[in-house]
Amino acid sequence: MLEYRMPSLGADMESGFLREWHVKPGDKIKKGDIIAEVETQKGIIDIEVFDDGTIGELLVQVDEKVPVGTLMAMIIPPGEDGEIKETPQKSAAPATTPTAAEEAWIATEPPPMAEKAAAAEHHVRASPLAKRIAEEKGIDIATIHGTGPEGAIIREDVEHAITARVAPVPEAPKEAAPAPPPASPPAPVAAEKPAPPAQAPAAPAEEEKARQATGASAETIRMAVAAAMSKSNREIPHYYLETRIDMRRAMAWLAETNKQRPVKERLLPAVLLLKAVAKALNEVPDLNAWWENGLQRKPAINIGYVVALRTGGIMVPAIHDADNKSLDELMQTLNDLIPRARALRLRSSELADSTITVTSLGEGGVETVFGVIYPPQVALVGFGGITDQPWTENGMLDVRPVLTATLAADHRATDGSTGSRFLTAIKNYLQQPEKL
Amino acid sequence: MTAEEIKQALLLRLKTIAPDTEPAQLQPDDNIREKLGIDSFDYLQFIVALDEQFGIQTPEEDYGKIQTLQELTEYVGARVKG
């Protein structure tokens, strides 16, 4: 039996709420399958498995809060006793009845990283879901009569309290609860289960709707970014390098390539930059790493690509194995990832696997960006807008499209000479776009 | 299609790409991308949508000619059939 635990969702998230299981005991699964949906500060995250096998048992119930690392399911590896496959073991089960299951969470100490919002909830026995609904609706949970095990307050109790309220109470929640989801006035509680997400990547138009459906808001995303960036600034001694890159060849090659393509297959300059970064990391692997009790180089090059949300905040989905993807494949990946990032529909691996971050401001903006590293990564590459600038070469003055590339790197992990080799490698790759 | 119809279609399309903006408030000579904060990825999606909706082909070198609502309306109007 393999234990399946709630995966990490990046340095800035400690837990989520299980919203849906996509599997049941006995279901066959393959590595990478999505087995559950978890609601987080960054929207609904599709939770993937890391092994092949058969689902033995589901140990977390829908709407439970799931801290990272929680045992969620047992998985029977392929080839293990078929009998077990058909009859999931009961021994490790926390519950055979819903009541016992609910007792399980009541007995559990709040996880050490419990929500900051929990301040008002101490000494009140209530299910995480009940607390959350009460918080969202601005109801003081202490005033609700509990009918759950040992008098604990469960979801039904909160629902009763909501429906019992004759007049809507316009006052704000007492505790400045972080980010009550916008646009959810006394909504029917049945709406707590997010609307079924669009399977196809949602169009950008869906961003607002998606935010409402996923429970994430500009504020929760802001808080997630704030947590990660504060940690970075507290712990990581950054050093910064900068170089200017002549993009004439790269832009000419791109224009020529795009001219022969229908608009749907055109490439953006960003894919050249991503590929150049991936190739340069092959030469300077110390920057494709995490800092966890020392430098841990990572075998796969997974580039976290910063996607700005128009209403504020960023999402940084990972482009897996970027060094093995062609330019077209990188563009396809962006076409898939960016709308999903904006719709807050990413997978767990896309939030947790990045080994370096790239931020590209695109044209029309400023020339230079000095980034803040996303821990536990050790480097961030920043690309400004490409602008026409004076350029000298062989003693001659010319005007060229110039890109400023910067590196923010962790000085615990590497030194300036490493960073310099890396930026120089990026620069060199961008002089030979046809070989990218 | 009249210029006004094209303009309305363009505004609708922009609203789809950038739902939290107010394309209707664009002045004819405002730079669309600057005014609405549309990045290069969204802009490409916008061009893809235009080409599909109006049955036109917009080469990359024309991007610079269609930066305002006025330019864009005229550009599409000159190419759209019927």
Side-chain angles (χ1 to χ4, degrees), chain A residues 6-202:
Chain A
M6 170 78 170
S8 165
L9 302 172
D12 45 359
M13 276 193 290
E14 291 137 7
S15 65
F17 286 88
L18 178 67
R19 288 302 182 227
E20 192 173 342
W21 279 113
H22 286 203
V23 293
K24 56 186 186 307
D27 282 358
K28 294 244 190 301
I29 46 161
K30 288 197 308 291
K31 183 175 189 243
D33 281 357
I34 294 161
I35 62 165
E37 292 181 12
V38 170
E39 179 186 326
T40 73
Q41 287 173 304
K42 290 186 181 173
I44 298 276
I45 306 302
D46 291 329
I47 302 292
E48 302 159 280
V49 283
F50 317 117
D51 304 287
D52 294 349
T54 307
I55 296 290
E57 197 164 18
L58 303 179
L59 301 173
V60 175
Q61 302 213 339
V62 168
D63 293 336
E64 261 186 83
K65 182 174 178 175
V66 195
V68 169
T70 304
L71 185 57
M72 290 184 76
M74 300 304 290
I75 295 173
I76 304 155
E80 244 180 53
D81 197 334
E83 280 177 38
I84 304 175
K85 279 182 199 165
E86 304 309 324
T87 48
Q89 288 184 346
K90 296 267 189 227
S91 59
T96 49
T97 68
T99 313
E102 282 172 326
E103 265 172 336
W105 55 252
I106 290 166
T108 310
E109 287 292 307
M113 297 300 213
E115 297 289 294
K116 303 100 199 164
E121 301 161 5
H122 284 321
H123 313 302
V124 179
R125 282 172 174 263
S127 78
L129 180 65
K131 286 179 187 172
R132 196 168 146 277
I133 296 172
E135 198 178 291
E136 285 176 8
K137 304 296 174 203
I139 294 178
D140 184 354
I141 196 139
T143 63
I144 299 175
H145 174 67
T147 61
E150 297 182 49
I153 298 156
I154 58 177
R155 175 172 57 179
E156 285 73 25
D157 300 328
V158 181
E159 290 170 6
H160 284 306
I162 292 167
T163 47
R165 279 206 297 199
V166 183
V169 183
E171 66 186 304
K174 287 175 191 161
E175 287 286 314
S184 54
V189 179
E192 74 192 2
K193 192 170 241 184
Q199 281 307 317

Side-chain angles (χ1 to χ4, degrees), chain A residues 403-425:
Chain A
L403 169 71
T404 303
T406 62
L407 173 73
D410 185 338
H411 216 328
R412 296 171 303 182
T414 64
D415 307 306
S417 61
T418 308
S420 175
R421 271 196 295 131
F422 175 66
L423 281 187
T424 305

